[in-house]
Amino acid sequence: MSSLTWRQRLLDGEPLLSSFIKTPAHAGIEIAGGAGLDAVVLDAEHAAFTGSSLDIALLACRAAAVAGLVRVPDSRPGTLLQALDLGAAGLVLPHITQADQAREIVAATRYRDGNRGFSNSPRAGGYGALPLARHVDFHDGRAALICQIEDASALSQLEQIAAVDGVDCLFVGRADLAVSLRRFDLDHPEVEQATLHTLQVARRAGKAAGLFVADLKDVPRYAAHGASFFILGSDQALLRTGWTAQAQAFRPLFAR
């Protein structure tokens, strides 16, 4: 297992595979870690995660030795702080459209040069084991900050967002981006052009580039344009695909 933090692996451009966890339960996370994923992304934006279920999910990440990222539902300081205090290895930040917005988020996650609220009593502080100065040194800049680019209005601000110190990755949310562009097709040329441009801007700025893909066959295409961080499908998608295939194979066994 690498001794580098997950954030450093991301910034080094290491190919990283993850998947969305949309079911607030520990077993799927343990399976993902055992299967060899580099991270799981707990989808607190679109799935029914509560503070308690997020706590258990991040504990499962620790038990399974897999990085636990949290896609937060909003960028309020309290929301960011909760995920970090519970031990998130990174935050996936929806709908980043302006550099000032990104700067405010960075400040909310940092002690030095920021305004992150301090407490060493949660999991991130070892339940009080880390003294104040050591806690600050350990955690400042430890969690990866991944800015989702998924709005048409963000496309003219990509260079400014990527230039923000503390932003580690530009991550394309193609579905929301397609809707924002009013194209309603992930493969529309305008969506594809915006996706590739975002990846290229991130790499020119020395930041990581990533995106969601539904199928492994899409990975080489985007890796060729600089993407190294991939969220591939979700726990629910894998269950649906597997059970659908089983059901379709099962029926013919009894056909007359």
Side-chain angles (χ1 to χ4, degrees):
M1 184 176 179
S2 174
S3 62
L4 297 175
T5 65
W6 194 87
R7 175 178 182 252
Q8 191 58 58
R9 294 172 66 197
L10 176 73
L11 289 172
D12 286 348
E14 180 180 335
L16 297 170
L17 176 64
S18 65
S19 188
F20 277 124
I21 298 292
K22 293 178 178 284
T23 306
H26 64 275
I29 295 167
E30 292 180 285
I31 293 168
L37 267 64
D38 298 294
V40 293
V41 184
L42 310 175
D43 192 1
E45 182 189 20
H46 289 295
F49 279 92
T50 63
S52 294
S53 60
L54 192 62
D55 186 16
I56 293 169
L58 286 167
L59 178 60
C61 291
R62 178 170 292 196
V66 62
L69 314 180
V70 179
R71 178 156 74 171
V72 292
D74 57 69
S75 57
R76 293 180 298 172
T79 302
L80 307 177
L81 182 61
Q82 180 185 56
L84 294 176
D85 279 353
L86 293 175
L91 303 177
V92 180
L93 304 151
H95 299 288
I96 303 302
T97 60
Q98 299 286 336
D100 285 346
Q101 180 189 10
R103 288 190 193 94
E104 290 177 2
I105 290 170
V106 172
T109 65
R110 301 290 177 89
Y111 294 112
R112 293 190 172 94
D113 302 318
N115 48 41
R116 175 177 170 177
F118 174 82
S119 175
N120 64 352
S121 61
R123 179 177 297 120
Y127 299 104
L130 286 179
L132 191 152
R134 192 169 152 212
H135 178 94
V136 169
D137 288 340
F138 184 80
H139 283 291
D140 254 0
R142 185 174 182 84
L145 297 184
I146 299 162
C147 292
Q148 283 196 220
I149 304 301
E150 49 190 348
D151 300 270
S153 60
L155 298 177
S156 63
Q157 303 297 315
L158 293 176
E159 286 82 2
Q160 293 90 332
I161 295 169
V164 173
D165 187 22
V167 167
D168 299 313
C169 177
L170 298 188
F171 184 91
V172 185
R174 287 190 298 156
D176 272 315
L177 185 58
V179 172
S180 182
L181 291 168
R182 300 297 184 260
R183 294 307 181 187
F184 310 108
D185 177 5
L186 295 184
D187 295 319
H188 190 281
E190 189 175 353
V191 177
E192 182 74 355
Q193 181 181 11
T195 298
L196 298 183
H197 179 57
T198 301
L199 301 178
Q200 292 158 4
V201 167
R203 297 307 298 140
R204 285 200 300 267
K207 306 298 175 73
L211 75 165
F212 173 86
V213 292
D215 196 299
L216 199 61
K217 66 179 176 56
D218 292 325
V219 168
R221 172 164 109 248
Y222 293 114
H225 290 274
S228 58
F229 171 46
F230 294 89
I231 301 178
L232 175 61
S234 70
D235 55 345
Q236 294 176 352
L238 285 170
L239 285 170
R240 185 185 67 248
T241 300
W243 280 337
T244 299
Q246 286 183 338
Q248 290 175 343
F250 177 81
R251 306 300 176 198
L253 298 178
F254 296 89
R256 293 184 179 181

